[in-house]
Amino acid sequence: MQTDHFVRFESVTDVERTDTGLLARVHGERLRIDVCRADVVRVQLSRGGVFDEQPTFAVCVDPLQATRAGDVPFRVDTGTGTESTTGGRQWRVVTDELEVRLGVAPFRVDVLRTDGSVVLQSVLGDDGRYETYRTLNDSWSTRRSRGRGDGVFGLGEKGGVFDRAGRDFTMWNTDVLNGPATEQFRAGLAADDPRADVTSTEFDPYYVTIPFFYHQSNPSGAMSGSFVDNGHRGHYDFSRSDDIRIGFEGGQWTEYVFAGPDMPGILEAYTWLTGRAGLPPLWALGYHQCRWHAYTQDEVEQLGARHREAGFPVDALWLDIDYMDGYRVFTWDEQRFPDPAGMLERLDAQGLKVISIVDPGVKHDPGYAVYDDGLERDVFCRTEGGDVYIGQVWPGDTVFPDFATEAARSWWGELNARHVESGLAGIWNDMNEPATGVIPPERMRFEHGRVSHERFHNQYALLMAMGTVEGLQAARPDLRTFVLSRSGFAGIQRYAANWMGDNQARWDHLALAVTMGSGLGVSGQPFVGADIGGFQGDSNAELFLRWMQLGALTPFCRNHSETDNVEQYAWAFGTRVFDLAREAVQLRYRLMPYLYSAFVRASETGEPVQRPLAFDHQYDPAAVAVDDQFLLGRDLLVAPVILPGETARQVYLPEGHWYDWHTGEVHEGGRYVIAPTPMERIPLFARAGAVVPMWPTAPASTAGYQPETIELHVFEPVVPGRHESVVVEDDGLTVASATGARLTTTVTVTCVEGAVEVGVDVVTTGDGYAEHRRQGFDVVRHRPA
Ligand code: GLC
């Protein structure tokens, strides 16, 4: 971001204490520093003297409520006699875990932990003056220090390696494969710059914007967090070794600073602010079969039947845009789908759910009920002059619901509710960046043309998902909802899962699914997965199989490919590949109780389901540097094959002991091992001490499957210690689980020095639920050979 002529704010006056922190004047604006929790503070600077109290829809709690109620103790130093290192006065806001220092002249903001370690430190610009805040014509920027070798993680859906240090990023939801929309991000780049190519794994920006990142200090390993609550186009520049530059092209500086120092604690705090994913319906964790293809109703039913006949587990079939009548949302092509309700009923009887795509764009087509109704209710986006904005999407001329308004969201919710009355189980939201084809989106304004496009662009998908979910909940209050979204903003996890958009059927994109999925995981979105097999371009036997083996162990597991590609069904690459792909998916189904329990934890703490090694092992630099492995839940380590022809790969095992899932061999962690990678499987390891709950068999789908036993695979510790694992069982469908209709089993594994046997203690609590059939647990012990 070009900041050459930005005006610098250099001194603070009129500092006063408020009941939540400090209020001050800075160059005619007002500055607030507020305590949210002992480990979270908020810095906010007004525009035109006014604070924007709800800059976006990301934050879903009143962050100052506890402080206002006096529940977060803090004190303020009046500044009398306190001198900052640069000689100016400073004010201090001190909680039990951190301290904010507000330098008055020059204006600077620093945050320290109680032990004196740095959370955030202002830094001098090239001219030797602080750049705490600079602004010009709606844009603003801030700069802070970064130590050599410091890591940067998060920012949601970003390409390249997991550590963002050394690169810069734009925050602008983008339809990646759309030439006109990406032109501005490619322009001016050298031809050999990977970002000049939208299919490169380095391309930026992607579909989802999450302005939240972690900064890890080297060599201590401590992390701090930053969430800038601003939906305008943003810029994060980590390319220099000594500073971090953050800039936004509009909106206010509203930043939440997280003291850490541990990644899980920061994520817990971030998801306290922006919310957590609700419990998914269990079927959403099954295998999903999707393809952009003009199916007929019979073909869809045959597809389900073929999976069943072949014994390939599947929970859901997906309908892409061709099920509609001329791409008109909320319609069916009556030629190809003469009886949707009948089809859905028959599929449901076989345990098959169906999800249909719903894009935001409504065909500009007088006479089409949805268009006419929306126009009459005045719920479409308008231009500044008052015209209804028109873009170009699948149906041609397309108008867009003004999701920034409550009226449009609830209208959309009602449309969705009516749409699923046919028996659809979930909704797939695409093109919601919003994608407008060859027509630039900027003329699309919100709130009846009054509010700029920039304010809501990045929030469009979040608001669409909000309307969709509220509508589905109103229509089916007992049921959990499932929405899959391509785009999103901070907080999207409350409403929808994300897939990573249009990837390529290439090995580098298989590898990208690991870093991108883990990046989303630490950014608050636990329900993620990439198109298995690759979306664009033809997949092939080896790539497809390796991708199925990886995808079967990611939170969201969906095979999807673009229209006109070679077939990518489980059987498309011959019997051998089919058998091995089935084994991979069957393993997923057997692991369902483990996977589900990881989702329950995500709903309670924000903890990711797919996570980088850094999440649980941040003080181990070797673990932090790993880009081609991840942890599934707390205790399974997945090391996918990311290259063709590989017969073995290096795997880094973090501290502790690890059981090779396939051979039972135990390895001491804190080292690299070589794991064989025959086509049959990818390396998978279980943490010693863990208890992995498994279904005894892999059912055809999760529907109605209530086994009489659940296996508890105890991976016995080899050194003394105590380990706790939790298994949650509920009906997997309704919201009753949240109010107690569940069983929670805590398994404690204790290894005592000199004892003959490892202790396994199983305690189950809870009200249970009607469908429950389990008689007991089957404890399966795994011991070192
Ligand atoms: C977009 C989506 C893709 C979908 C296609 C047609 O490219 O990302 O998943 O298949 O549109 O709807």
Side-chain angles (χ1 to χ4, degrees), residues 346-632:
R346 287 187 292 276
L347 289 170
D348 192 58
Q350 300 169 60
L352 285 163
K353 306 287 181 207
V354 176
I355 292 153
S356 82
I357 201 167
V358 175
D359 289 350
V362 172
K363 186 175 169 73
H364 177 270
D365 179 21
Y368 158 41
V370 177
Y371 174 77
D372 290 347
D373 189 36
L375 206 58
E376 198 183 309
R377 294 176 191 231
D378 192 14
V379 287
F380 293 132
C381 288
R382 292 185 178 275
T383 63
E384 191 172 14
D387 296 351
V388 170
Y389 170 90
I390 298 178
Q392 282 293 317
V393 203
W394 308 120
D397 290 350
T398 304
V399 301
F400 293 81
D402 185 352
F403 292 124
T405 67
E406 171 77 45
R409 290 198 299 276
S410 65
W411 175 65
W412 198 253
E414 284 163 27
L415 287 168
N416 275 277
R418 225 171 300 145
H419 186 52
V420 299
E421 275 171 13
S422 57
L424 290 165
I427 296 293
W428 172 19
N429 286 163
D430 185 30
M431 311 302 276
N432 48 359
E433 290 67 40
T436 50
V438 292
I439 310 295
E442 282 78 12
R443 299 262 160 187
M444 176 201 294
R445 293 168 67 92
F446 296 91
E447 295 180 17
H448 310 283
R450 285 194 295 272
V451 179
S452 75
H453 182 75
E454 288 75 13
R455 183 176 173 98
F456 285 109
H457 177 91
N458 285 338
Q459 296 183 71
Y460 194 75
L462 172 70
L463 294 167
M464 178 183 186
M466 194 184 279
T468 303
V469 168
E470 283 167 5
L472 296 177
Q473 282 172 340
R476 309 196 283 210
D478 298 342
L479 290 188
R480 306 176 193 178
T481 58
F482 177 74
V483 174
L484 180 73
S485 177
R486 186 166 76 174
S487 187
F489 186 67
I492 186 69
Q493 68 272 9
R494 301 200 297 271
Y495 306 106
N498 282 109
W499 94 102
M500 294 172 246
D502 295 340
N503 59 5
Q504 303 292 313
R506 293 195 323 226
W507 290 92
D508 57 342
H509 276 257
L510 178 156
L512 179 65
V514 176
T515 49
M516 204 175 249
S518 299
L520 279 158
V522 298
S523 306
Q525 174 55 288
F527 207 173
V528 287
D531 284 348
I532 295 176
F535 174 75
Q536 190 165 67
D538 290 341
S539 204
N540 61 68
E542 186 182 4
L543 177 64
F544 175 74
L545 176 55
R546 291 311 199 184
W547 214 322
M548 285 290 268
Q549 290 168 334
L550 160 63
L553 297 171
T554 59
F556 178 60
C557 175
R558 187 184 72 155
N559 176 350
H560 181 43
S561 70
E562 195 173 16
T563 183
D564 295 334
N565 286 347
V566 297
E567 286 195 4
Q568 201 169 286
Y569 300 114
W571 46 81
F573 301 101
T575 336
R576 186 75 185 127
V577 169
F578 173 80
D579 288 344
L580 298 179
R582 182 172 58 183
E583 266 174 41
V585 172
Q586 283 174 337
L587 173 62
R588 177 183 184 85
Y589 275 80
R590 289 202 57 208
L591 284 170
M592 200 55 80
Y594 173 79
L595 189 60
Y596 183 66
S597 299
F599 270 91
V600 173
R601 207 172 301 126
S603 76
E604 290 167 352
T605 67
E607 201 176 302
V609 174
Q610 172 181 338
R611 54 230 252 170
L613 271 49
F615 188 77
D616 301 272
H617 300 276
Q618 79 183 61
Y619 298 102
D620 174 355
V624 172
V626 170
D627 273 312
D628 56 0
Q629 303 171 205
F630 60 95
L631 287 161
L632 174 63

Side-chain angles (χ1 to χ4, degrees), residues 658-667 675-676 681 683-686 715:
W658 295 87
Y659 284 76
D660 183 317
W661 185 267
H662 309 291
T663 66
E665 192 184 343
V666 179
H667 299 273
R681 56 180 200 244
L684 178 64
F685 294 84
F715 293 89

Side-chain angles (χ1 to χ4, degrees), residues 138-455:
D138 288 340
S139 293
W140 61 269
S141 70
T142 182
R143 219 199 252 212
R144 60 211 42 182
S145 78
R146 181 160 92 83
R148 189 166 283 273
D150 285 5
V152 181
F153 310 101
L155 282 196
E157 192 185 52
K158 291 294 176 194
V161 295
F162 183 66
D163 187 347
R164 317 299 189 204
R167 290 177 290 162
D168 64 296
F169 301 94
T170 301
M171 313 305 275
W172 187 253
N173 293 353
T174 302
D175 177 12
V176 175
L177 295 189
N178 175 347
T182 55
E183 164 64 38
Q184 56 187 310
F185 304 111
R186 293 179 284 123
L189 297 179
D192 62 351
D193 185 326
R195 289 188 174 187
D197 171 10
V198 293
T199 78
S200 135
T201 56
E202 295 286 340
F203 181 74
D204 186 76
Y206 253 56
Y207 309 89
V208 178
T209 288
I210 304 182
F212 166 61
F213 73 96
Y214 304 79
H215 175 189
Q216 181 173 42
S217 299
N218 178 43
S220 78
M223 291 200 199
S224 59
S226 156
F227 168 52
V228 178
D229 188 9
N230 187 320
H232 289 74
R233 184 178 295 216
H235 303 270
Y236 282 79
D237 189 350
F238 309 115
S239 60
R240 292 173 197 75
S241 63
D242 59 352
D243 72 12
I244 290 173
R245 300 174 186 201
I246 301 172
F248 280 81
E249 294 182 22
Q252 295 189 356
W253 181 18
T254 301
E255 179 172 358
Y256 294 86
V257 179
F258 306 87
D262 294 340
M263 204 175 211
I266 296 170
L267 186 58
E268 184 279 322
Y270 169 74
T271 55
W272 162 72
L273 273 176
T274 61
R276 297 178 181 129
L279 291 177
L282 196 61
W283 58 260
L285 306 190
Y287 173 67
H288 298 263
Q289 171 58 47
C290 187
R291 181 189 181 196
W292 176 4
H293 183 69
Y295 291 105
T296 62
Q297 176 179 312
D298 288 345
E299 285 166 349
V300 174
E301 294 195 47
Q302 282 156 19
L303 189 61
R306 177 135 188 213
H307 280 88
R308 288 289 174 263
E309 282 154 22
F312 200 96
V314 58
D315 263 81
L317 303 177
W318 292 58
L319 298 176
D320 205 326
I321 47 176
D322 294 295
Y323 78 92
M324 291 181 271
D325 169 19
Y327 305 133
R328 290 173 186 83
V329 284
F330 307 114
T331 66
W332 291 81
D333 178 326
E334 290 172 11
Q335 303 277 291
R336 272 176 300 160
F337 292 88
D339 178 22
M343 170 190 77
L344 295 172
E345 199 184 322
R346 287 187 292 276
L347 289 170
D348 192 58
Q350 300 169 60
L352 285 163
K353 306 287 181 207
V354 176
I355 292 153
S356 82
I357 201 167
V358 175
D359 289 350
V362 172
K363 186 175 169 73
H364 177 270
D365 179 21
Y368 158 41
V370 177
Y371 174 77
D372 290 347
D373 189 36
L375 206 58
E376 198 183 309
R377 294 176 191 231
D378 192 14
V379 287
F380 293 132
C381 288
R382 292 185 178 275
T383 63
E384 191 172 14
D387 296 351
V388 170
Y389 170 90
I390 298 178
Q392 282 293 317
V393 203
W394 308 120
D397 290 350
T398 304
V399 301
F400 293 81
D402 185 352
F403 292 124
T405 67
E406 171 77 45
R409 290 198 299 276
S410 65
W411 175 65
W412 198 253
E414 284 163 27
L415 287 168
N416 275 277
R418 225 171 300 145
H419 186 52
V420 299
E421 275 171 13
S422 57
L424 290 165
I427 296 293
W428 172 19
N429 286 163
D430 185 30
M431 311 302 276
N432 48 359
E433 290 67 40
T436 50
V438 292
I439 310 295
E442 282 78 12
R443 299 262 160 187
M444 176 201 294
R445 293 168 67 92
F446 296 91
E447 295 180 17
H448 310 283
R450 285 194 295 272
V451 179
S452 75
H453 182 75
E454 288 75 13
R455 183 176 173 98

